[in-house]
Amino acid sequence: MPSASQSVTQSVTVIGLGPMGQAMAAAYLDRGYEVTLWNRTPSRADALVARGATLADSPQQAVIANELVVLSLIDYDAMYGVLEQAKESLAGRVFVNLSSDTPEKAKAGAHWITELGGTHLTGGVLAPPPLIGTPEASTFYSGPRAAYDTHRAALEVITGKSDYRGDDPGLAALMYQLNMVIFWPAMIAYWQAVAVAAAHGITAAEIAPYAAENFAGMGHFIDFYAPRIDANNHAGDVDRTSMGLASMEHVVHTAADAGVDTAFPEAVRDVFRRVVDAGHGADSFSRAVEVMRKGASATTV
Ligand code: NDP
């Protein structure tokens, strides 16, 4: 009899075969798991079936095949769309839902599965498909601790590291969303820089080392500002929002002069402007946290 910390799973079902689900199924095949698949568009399973995976005829057949069912769908609405077809078979199964959605949707989804007798672990993967199956990639999990412990080894096939955040099924989704809040705008900022560079005949490859150095240096700012923000210290001793506003105006005008779209830098500039308009031009731009916490309609903080 295996102990609670050992995985009892050497077979797994993967439902959802976008780039992520395909990479996950491939990682399980690499480790010798028996893999059952289901996807709305069956042809996405072809390469995996050629490697030995089994394509189920229906969501119900896929769910019945294994105790551990990994979901990699576009969102939780898609999960309902798929699992409604297997409703009678959810009991006794552990659903590891790596589909992205809001914490509220994750909580409701976990409740729905639990009511039907299944177990739901929420997950949030912090890696793109090429890093699935590698030791350095990491995934947030939350939900029943016992299910996480039992299946941890199988989960760590997907990403070598797993970060269990607690029982609340919304927590993993929240931690994932916090990362997305940073990731998507940061990458769009980079696309903006590439577009401005391109307008001047400079390639993405030429600015790549500088962009990478810029991103790598962000850790300094996080480490510097986090304790100050938690202590409600927005002193303008190293930066003043009025300086940030002037600087963002330069960013907007540099893009405009190059004929590049200004919507994104204007949105950032407007945050600085709201902080200044609220009377905090002499404070650090970290004061923007307070403006944001009070919502879009706040004019004073
Ligand atoms: P895709 O959008 O490429 O794939 C989504 C999957 O959902 C496909 O299998 C698709 O089926 C299925 N699907 C969509 N709508 C429905 C529906 N109405 N009914 C049934 N199935 C549906 O996403 P990815 O594979 O890239 O990502 C999967 C999840 O992982 C997402 O939640 C994403 O946010 C998250 N994620 C993705 C990362 C990435 O870099 N790609 C990184 C980290 C997390 P079909 O093939 O038939 O269209």
Side-chain angles (χ1 to χ4, degrees), residues 99-104 106-107 122-127 138-143 162-184:
S99 316
S100 163
D101 217 316
T102 67
E104 290 308 312
K107 284 186 205 175
T122 310
V125 184
L126 297 177
S138 184
T139 302
F140 292 121
Y141 290 101
S142 70
S162 62
D163 189 348
Y164 179 76
R165 305 305 305 181
D167 286 342
D168 180 343
L171 274 175
L174 175 62
M175 295 303 293
Y176 176 79
Q177 291 306 328
L178 294 179
N179 272 271
M180 292 303 99
V181 165
I182 297 167
F183 177 77
W184 291 123

Side-chain angles (χ1 to χ4, degrees), residues 3 23 30 57 63 82 91 101-102 105 119 131 150 169 192 194-195 244 247 281 284:
S3 72
D30 290 344
D57 287 337
V63 165
V82 174
D101 217 316
T102 67
K105 289 276 187 107
T119 300
L131 294 184
T150 301
Q192 177 85 29
V194 170
S247 179
S284 166

Side-chain angles (χ1 to χ4, degrees), residues 16-21 39-41 44 72-74 78 82 98-100 125 127-129 176:
L17 295 175
M20 282 300 259
N39 193 52
R40 180 180 62 177
T41 308
R44 291 202 215 284
S72 179
L73 297 162
I74 184 121
V82 174
L98 302 172
S99 316
S100 163
V125 184
Y176 176 79

Side-chain angles (χ1 to χ4, degrees), residues 239-245 272 275-276 280-285 287:
D239 75 276
R240 288 151 61 87
T241 307
S242 54
M243 175 279 290
L245 176 56
F272 282 92
V275 178
V276 170
H280 297 291
D283 289 352
S284 166
F285 76 141
R287 181 65 79 177

